[in-house]
Amino acid sequence: MTEMNPLVFLPGASGSRNFWQPLIGYLKPEHYQVVAYPGFDGLAPKPEIQSLADLQHYLSAQIADDSILIAQSMGGVLAVGLALSQPEKVKALVLIATSGGLNLQPYGCTDWRTDYREQYQHVPDWFVTDQTEFSAEQLAQIKVPSSWPKSKYYCCGGISGRSV
């Protein structure tokens, strides 16, 4: 029997590991990992994490090589960052409702930070001020299979825009 690549679930900006509950209920516990973000979803913050890059570095130590990253929202930015900086960690990407770090404001998407801060008052300040972005050229460097949009149009939070 072929060994399965680890499935690693990355939550969105709420950091809620429960987001994945409906899906992981169908999986055997030895086949997946749901990562947690320090400072989110009731977890204590870690002083060494002061940016998405720091969080990405923290997560990379928890993720086995050749993992399949399944990421929602902010988790997609982290997953893309890992695929670019440590491709040995990422066998494939499944990106759900994420910008993947691409600046979508030129496509009509609004900045989410003000509304987010009102709803999630206890997340670290660095998260709201972090401006991590990847260029279309950087995203084109991802060599692993992904659910990244390949078509002319994609959808972001219900707002359609042209892909780059």
Side-chain angles (χ1 to χ4, degrees):
M1 180 182 273
T2 305
E3 189 171 321
M4 186 172 157
N5 291 80
L7 301 175
V8 178
F9 292 89
L10 302 172
S14 71
S16 175
R17 292 159 288 168
N18 290 330
F19 175 84
W20 298 110
Q21 214 47 350
L23 178 59
I24 63 174
Y26 293 99
L27 302 172
K28 293 180 180 178
E30 63 270 18
H31 291 158
Y32 71 89
Q33 168 188 5
V34 180
V35 297
Y37 305 146
F40 293 78
D41 198 29
L43 294 177
K46 292 194 174 288
E48 66 271 20
I49 299 175
Q50 296 297 313
S51 67
L52 277 181
D54 293 342
L55 180 56
Q56 178 185 306
H57 178 74
Y58 169 84
L59 293 175
S60 73
Q62 300 179 43
I63 297 172
D65 286 357
D66 288 327
S67 290
I68 298 170
L69 303 184
I70 304 161
Q72 185 259 339
S73 187
M74 176 187 84
V77 179
L78 294 164
V80 165
L82 282 167
L84 289 168
S85 66
Q86 294 180 277
E88 71 281 0
K89 292 279 185 189
V90 184
K91 178 75 172 178
L93 292 170
V94 179
L95 303 175
I96 303 164
T98 185
S99 70
L102 184 65
N103 179 1
L104 295 177
Q105 287 182 331
Y107 304 101
C109 293
T110 59
D111 192 336
W112 50 269
R113 289 171 179 84
T114 303
D115 291 339
Y116 176 86
R117 178 46 102 187
E118 289 176 13
Q119 185 174 358
Y120 298 99
Q121 297 175 7
H122 300 292
V123 300
D125 289 334
W126 64 259
F127 177 66
V128 180
T129 59
D130 189 282
Q131 297 288 319
T132 297
E133 289 182 6
F134 300 112
S135 68
E137 292 77 22
Q138 287 174 296
L139 297 174
Q141 299 302 311
I142 296 174
K143 301 299 182 205
V144 299
S146 71
S147 63
W148 195 260
K150 306 283 191 234
S151 64
K152 189 175 180 181
Y153 293 92
Y154 66 90
C155 183
C156 165
I159 301 172
S160 294
R162 295 185 83 60
S163 69
V164 291

